[in-house]
Amino acid sequence: MHVTPLAWGLTIVVIVALLAFDYFFHVRHAHVPTLREAAIWSSIYVGLALLFGVVVLIFGGVTMGAEYFAGYVTEKALSVDNLFVFLIIMSSFRVPREDQQKVLLFGIVFSIFARTAFIFLGAALINSFAWVFYIFGLILLITAGNMLRPETEESHSADNFIIRIAKKFMHTTEHYDGDKLFTIENGKRAMTPMLLVMVAIGGTDILFALDSIPAIFGLTQNVFIVFTATVFSLMGLRQLYFLLDGLLDRLIYLSFGLAAILGFIGVKLILHALHENNLPFVNDGEPVDVVEVSTALSLSVIIGVLIVTVIASLTSQKGRAQAAIAGARHHAANYVDLDYTADADERERIYSKLVKEEQQLKSLDPKFKKMVREETALLDLIKRAHADHDAFLNR
């Protein structure tokens, strides 16, 4: 189906309007979203994405609609995995909780611009060179293999090359000044960590785009579907970050599920490349008669893998243990960090979570207690959080 300029224009207007609404009504005034607020707005954005898919289904047909839903589900799953990295980066920079929304919205806007550029570049390459499908397929297979390797927080360190260059050539301050990007320190204009963390988020998202864009091109080559599925998967990511806080550590098998999905799409791309083959050293430049995977099968595999992955993660005793350990470490560190938040209710919420996770740590099966890294340091950190809370109550 040919997408008219009017359809493109209306879609872009809707996206810009949603981003503007998000900024002026939610992000402009720094605050910590409640769980209820995050749940409501996450549901609204998912609902809008599904409603858009129904519109595509009605006006574009079954194939186009199925391609949109397959692309949206895949990109949404990848964006959830990306949230874990964003969490590590913001923890590394000790971003105040109430200012994290601004960082996330910047990340979403930057993602939309960066991925739009990658989408049109990818479309131009595909239209000119059919062999690009081989490259995209190999990228996804390599990415799938990398996802199977265990990762640590150090592998996503915020102290990357771009940040080191920025610190070297620009006067930076170690302290935040609200959500300002620049401040005055000792009479000089200085860059705050808020700008640095935005640079780190933006740089990291470029790497994410190198995986996600080939993935969705493996499901559809319709540029309109690629663009809208990608953008709608990013919309509402800010709210989802606060909604899934604490649950991300439970999804211990998410990387395996995503590896399976990317591997599947990678094989699908290579099969498509063989079907469209014009490389002279492959079958004498003639197309190869291979089975092509249908969009319906792709959508079924993607949804099936994600359902199995989430259920296996949430019912896993190891997942519960890992969530308790990571949560206790994270919440204890946040509580003793005075830069974390100035909101008394937020500190009480964090402390309540810490108490619950501490009880879970004490009741861990001995085989899971081996998962605790630097146990003495963790226990000392928890004791310090208790002392700080007692001092906070008695002041």
Side-chain angles (χ1 to χ4, degrees):
M1 172 191 168
H2 173 70
V3 181
T4 65
L6 178 61
W8 271 102
L10 289 174
T11 301
I12 292 172
V13 167
V14 169
I15 291 169
V16 172
L18 287 172
L19 289 172
F21 176 84
D22 215 14
Y23 175 75
F24 286 106
F25 289 91
H26 293 286
V27 177
R28 191 177 184 183
H29 300 291
H31 72 286
V32 181
T34 63
L35 186 63
R36 181 174 180 273
E37 178 186 341
I40 289 173
W41 284 103
S42 292
S43 301
I44 289 174
Y45 278 109
V46 171
L48 289 173
L50 296 179
L51 179 62
F52 183 84
V54 172
V55 173
V56 172
L57 195 65
I58 294 172
F59 292 97
V62 174
T63 300
M64 195 170 175
E67 288 177 349
Y68 168 82
F69 283 114
Y72 172 75
V73 172
T74 301
E75 293 297 304
K76 198 68 175 179
L78 288 170
S79 70
V80 171
D81 188 54
N82 297 348
L83 285 179
F84 178 69
V85 182
F86 289 167
L87 176 63
I88 293 173
I89 291 175
M90 286 198 279
S91 296
S92 299
F93 279 99
R94 300 162 65 210
V95 180
R97 181 74 166 175
E98 52 267 34
D99 294 324
Q100 290 180 4
Q101 290 198 92
K102 187 171 185 177
V103 175
L104 288 168
L105 185 60
F106 166 81
I108 291 169
V109 173
F110 182 88
S111 297
I112 291 174
F113 280 107
R115 297 187 190 207
T116 298
F118 278 119
I119 287 168
F120 284 100
L121 176 61
L125 289 173
I126 287 171
N127 290 333
S128 302
F129 311 103
W131 51 263
V132 170
F133 285 112
Y134 287 112
I135 304 298
F136 281 3
L138 288 174
I139 288 174
L140 293 184
L141 291 175
I142 292 171
T143 302
N146 289 335
M147 279 190 163
L148 297 176
R149 297 188 307 178
E151 291 187 327
T152 63
E153 294 195 6
E154 288 74 17
S155 64
H156 296 295
S157 171
D159 189 25
N160 58 36
F161 175 74
I162 297 175
I163 298 301
R164 290 195 296 271
I165 290 294
K167 287 183 176 180
K168 184 176 181 180
F169 291 99
M170 297 187 70
H171 178 53
T172 61
T173 175
E174 298 296 326
H175 304 288
Y176 288 90
D177 184 7
D179 60 2
K180 295 179 181 178
L181 303 183
F182 293 91
T183 189
I184 303 298
E185 185 179 65
N186 298 325
K188 294 183 179 179
R189 185 176 173 81
M191 181 169 58
T192 70
M194 182 61 71
L195 182 56
L196 290 178
V197 71
M198 287 184 174
V199 172
I201 291 287
T204 303
D205 190 74
I206 291 176
L207 298 179
F208 290 154
L210 296 177
D211 300 334
S212 67
I213 298 307
I216 195 168
F217 269 118
L219 299 169
T220 177
Q221 284 81 60
N222 186 315
V223 177
F224 181 75
I225 296 300
V226 172
F227 172 76
T228 52
T230 299
V231 171
F232 275 106
S233 73
L234 294 171
M235 302 297 288
L237 196 61
R238 175 183 63 78
Q239 293 86 349
L240 195 62
Y241 174 87
F242 291 95
L243 183 63
L244 295 182
D245 184 21
L247 183 61
L248 292 174
D249 291 309
R250 286 289 303 275
L251 301 178
I252 60 173
Y253 300 123
L254 180 61
S255 60
F256 294 100
L258 291 177
I261 291 172
L262 293 183
F264 170 77
I265 298 175
V267 171
K268 182 178 185 292
L269 271 171
I270 291 176
L271 289 175
H272 182 73
L274 289 170
H275 189 267
E276 302 290 328
N277 178 66
N278 57 13
L279 293 177
F281 53 85
V282 176
N283 197 37
D284 295 325
E286 297 296 321
V288 181
D289 186 19
V290 294
V291 175
E292 285 219 75
V293 182
S294 68
T295 303
L297 177 59
S298 298
L299 182 58
S300 300
V301 169
I302 291 165
I303 293 176
V305 169
L306 287 176
I307 290 174
V308 171
T309 298
V310 171
I311 292 176
S313 296
L314 296 180
T315 57
S316 166
Q317 290 186 339
K318 181 180 178 182
R320 292 193 195 96
Q322 179 172 298
I325 295 167
R329 194 185 306 276
H330 174 64
H331 293 132
N334 282 340
Y335 196 87
V336 301
D337 184 358
L338 296 179
D339 288 336
Y340 172 70
T341 182
D343 189 330
D345 290 338
E346 172 66 9
R347 292 188 73 84
E348 187 59 39
R349 184 187 73 85
I350 291 298
Y351 183 75
S352 297
K353 282 194 169 188
L354 173 60
V355 171
K356 182 180 178 181
E357 289 154 351
E358 185 182 10
Q359 293 301 318
Q360 291 173 337
L361 287 179
K362 291 177 179 178
S363 61
L364 280 181
D365 189 288
K367 66 179 179 181
F368 294 129
K369 285 187 177 181
K370 297 177 181 178
M371 297 168 57
V372 182
R373 295 181 293 104
E374 301 176 350
E375 183 176 3
T376 302
L378 175 58
L379 294 176
D380 288 342
L381 186 62
I382 292 174
K383 287 180 181 177
R384 185 181 168 192
H386 282 299
D388 283 3
H389 184 66
D390 292 338
F392 175 75
L393 293 177
N394 295 324
R395 67 181 182 178

